[in-house]
């Protein structure tokens, strides 16, 4: 199939790294691995983070104009007509302003991956964008979810004949190679004692959920008995860095902020650490959690969103209620006191990632679901 791909929240070729950009790229790769001809249909970013109806109206007009041009180019033969439109990540702050119109006018299936429905936004400053998201879901022939907790709220929004399926978040390049010397190399680089358990946190430092996750992590570390040995390495940067630094000020001798790191450096950090610790405030599922498990790291995280679809509590990691610093601290302390358990969880997590979260396995599932639309 020739597939027009669009990500209204963040284009897969956007310059700033994020989990959304990563998943958009992975989806395009998975579709291509299934034998499909995938092209980026638009880079229009429809996000309104402030709840500005005037901005939403202006973006809607831009989307309508783009849809008109796209359809005209297809009908005139300037570009080959796609067999299917595929949009990634729809929600009230970033509705799809292009795909539904194009799919309807060209008579092709409209497919959505990762959508959310926020009924509380039916009134208020995002009401128009919320309704546009509902309209898109009502037109969708197929909605693909990566978070099993989304289905009860999203599936009822589908129209007659619409289908909802769950697939697991996934990674490319599995199985990951393991570097046995990474831990000693990083400890030597940062001046950390060889017998000190090494914690890792990975997250952008932007206001909102990410900063709140850092705050909960800092709070949890303050609740661990003072005689426990540990060091924390943080990979991430952003406008909220001063707040993060302030949160960890009581632990400054034990905390190493590395700033933004590239993919190779991040892979090295996963290989070097003993435990991935991330409270996961308002997390959809958490690509860093999956990457950590694929690298053999046990994960301590918050029981929120689709995180349990990746981290199996007691089997590949430990989960605590969202934003509960005391419970998070207990899980951290449990592994700090039992590093053999930490290693067992890490081995199990790596096995799960390799068996259930590879790009190749998901590519086959996506291909079967899309081929069914052509029948």
């Amino acid at each position: 199939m020739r597939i027009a791909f669009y990500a209204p929240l963040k284009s897969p070729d956007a310059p700033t790294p994020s989990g959304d950009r990563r998943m958009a790229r992975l989806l395009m790769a998975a579709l291509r691995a299934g034998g499909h001809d995938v092209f980026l249909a638009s880079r229009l970013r429809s996000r309104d983070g402030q709840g500005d109806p005037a901005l939403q109206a202006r973006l809607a007009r831009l989307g309508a104009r783009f849809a008109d041009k796209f359809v005209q180019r297809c009908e005139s033969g300037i570009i080959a007509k796609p067999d299917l439109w595929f949009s990634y990540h729809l929600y009230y702050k970033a509705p799809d302003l292009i795909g539904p119109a194009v799919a309807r006018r060209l008579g092709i299936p409209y497919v959505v991956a990762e959508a959310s429905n926020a009924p509380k936004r039916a009134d208020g400053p995002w009401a128009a964008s919320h309704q546009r998201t509902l309209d898109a879901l009502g037109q969708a022939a197929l909605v693909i979810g990566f978070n099993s907790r989304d289905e009860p709220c999203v599936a009822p929004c589908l129209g007659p004949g619409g289908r909802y399926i769950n697939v697991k978040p996934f990674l490319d390049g599995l199985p990951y190679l393991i570097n046995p010397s990474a831990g000693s190399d990083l400890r030597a680089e940062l001046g950390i004692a060889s017998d000190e358990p090494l914690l890792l946190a990975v997250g952008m430092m932007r206001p909102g959920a990410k900063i709140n996750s850092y705050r909960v992590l800092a709070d949890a570390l303050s609740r661990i008995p003072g005689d426990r040995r540990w060091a924390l390495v943080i990979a991430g940067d952003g406008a909220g860095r001063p707040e993060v630094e302030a949160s960890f000020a009581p632990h400054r001798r034990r905390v190493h902020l590395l700033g933004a790191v590239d993919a190779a450096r991040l892979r090295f950090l996963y290989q070097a650490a003993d435990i991935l610790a991330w409270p996961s405030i308002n997390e959809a599922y958490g690509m860093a959690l999956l990457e950590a498990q694929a690298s053999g790291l046990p994960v301590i995280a918050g029981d929120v969103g689709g995180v349990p679809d990746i981290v199996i509590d007691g089997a590949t990691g430990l989960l605590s209620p969202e934003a509960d610093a005391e419970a998070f601290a207990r899980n951290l302390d449990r592994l700090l006191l039992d590093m053999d358990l930490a290693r067992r969880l890490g081995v199990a997590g790596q096995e799960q990632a390799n068996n259930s979260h590879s790009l190749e396995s998901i590519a086959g599932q996506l291909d079967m679901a899309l081929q069914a639309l052509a029948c």
Side-chain angles (χ1 to χ4, degrees):
M1 284 187 190
R2 177 170 167 80
I3 298 177
F5 187 94
Y6 175 49
L9 177 60
K10 177 177 279 191
S11 176
D13 60 2
T16 305
S18 70
D20 284 291
R21 189 187 75 170
R22 177 78 187 281
M23 182 52 74
R25 292 179 173 185
L26 284 169
L27 276 169
M28 294 184 78
L31 293 169
R32 287 172 177 146
H36 301 286
D37 174 18
V38 185
F39 68 98
L40 185 60
S42 175
R43 295 180 176 84
L44 176 66
R45 191 169 193 231
S46 68
R47 185 178 187 275
D48 168 26
Q50 303 302 317
D52 182 348
L55 174 59
Q56 293 167 37
R58 184 174 69 83
L59 289 169
R61 290 192 295 271
L62 288 173
R65 284 202 293 270
F66 183 91
D68 285 341
K69 290 181 180 179
F70 188 92
V71 170
Q72 290 167 9
R73 295 177 72 193
C74 289
E75 292 176 340
S76 64
I78 296 175
I79 60 174
K81 173 185 169 181
D83 300 301
L84 179 147
W85 185 282
F86 192 112
S87 288
Y88 165 64
H89 201 174
L90 277 61
Y91 76 123
Y92 71 93
K93 288 186 179 180
D96 185 353
L97 306 173
I98 301 173
V102 171
R104 185 170 55 252
R105 291 169 61 181
L106 293 180
I108 60 175
Y110 175 64
V111 176
V112 173
E114 193 173 349
S116 63
N117 171 28
K120 64 183 179 181
R121 302 299 180 183
D123 298 309
W126 281 285
S129 288
H130 168 71
Q131 186 58 51
R132 290 185 179 102
T133 298
L134 292 183
D135 292 342
L137 292 173
Q139 182 182 328
L142 176 68
V143 174
I144 301 161
F146 300 113
N147 175 350
S148 60
R149 289 176 173 170
D150 283 341
E151 183 173 0
C153 197
V154 174
C157 301
L158 273 61
R163 182 183 172 211
Y164 189 102
I165 63 170
N166 276 304
V167 300
K168 296 182 181 295
F170 59 96
L171 298 170
D172 57 351
L174 296 180
Y176 288 168
L177 297 176
I178 300 301
N179 178 0
S181 68
S184 57
D185 291 346
L186 184 61
R187 285 175 171 83
E189 174 189 332
L190 300 179
I192 299 170
S194 60
D195 61 344
E196 199 152 43
L198 192 55
L199 311 178
L200 174 65
V202 179
M204 296 178 68
M205 297 178 182
R206 58 172 179 249
K210 297 296 186 185
I211 294 299
N212 290 338
S213 288
Y214 279 114
R215 287 175 179 151
V216 171
L217 178 56
D219 186 1
L221 290 170
S222 296
R223 297 167 185 265
I224 292 175
D227 60 350
R228 297 286 186 267
R229 295 176 61 79
W230 58 267
L232 171 66
V233 173
I234 296 176
D237 211 340
R241 179 162 180 154
E243 294 177 66
V244 174
E245 292 176 343
S247 295
F248 288 98
H251 312 292
R252 58 184 176 274
R253 294 182 180 179
R254 293 174 141 187
V255 177
H256 304 263
L257 285 85
L258 304 186
V261 300
D262 62 19
R265 177 66 167 173
L266 183 56
R267 184 72 58 83
F268 169 74
L269 296 177
Y270 287 134
Q271 295 171 336
D274 296 306
I275 299 167
L276 190 285
W278 186 246
S280 318
I281 304 298
N282 200 33
E283 198 83 62
Y285 38 83
M287 292 298 290
L289 308 182
L290 182 53
E291 290 175 329
Q293 287 193 155
S295 303
L297 272 186
V299 171
I300 297 176
D303 185 357
V304 60
V307 171
D309 294 332
I310 293 175
V311 183
I312 301 175
D313 189 32
T316 69
L318 301 176
L319 300 179
S320 57
E322 185 179 17
D324 188 335
E326 179 61 36
F328 196 90
R330 286 196 298 270
N331 282 340
L332 268 175
D333 200 37
R334 180 181 175 188
L335 291 195
L336 290 174
L337 290 171
D338 191 348
M339 293 304 295
D340 287 337
L341 172 60
R343 283 186 281 273
R344 291 196 299 272
L345 295 176
V347 169
Q350 187 175 40
E351 182 178 355
Q352 175 186 285
N354 290 336
N355 291 339
S356 303
H357 297 276
S358 71
L359 182 146
E360 291 75 16
S361 65
I362 302 304
Q365 295 179 44
L366 293 177
D367 180 54
M368 287 181 61
L370 297 184
Q371 293 294 349
L373 299 179
C375 298

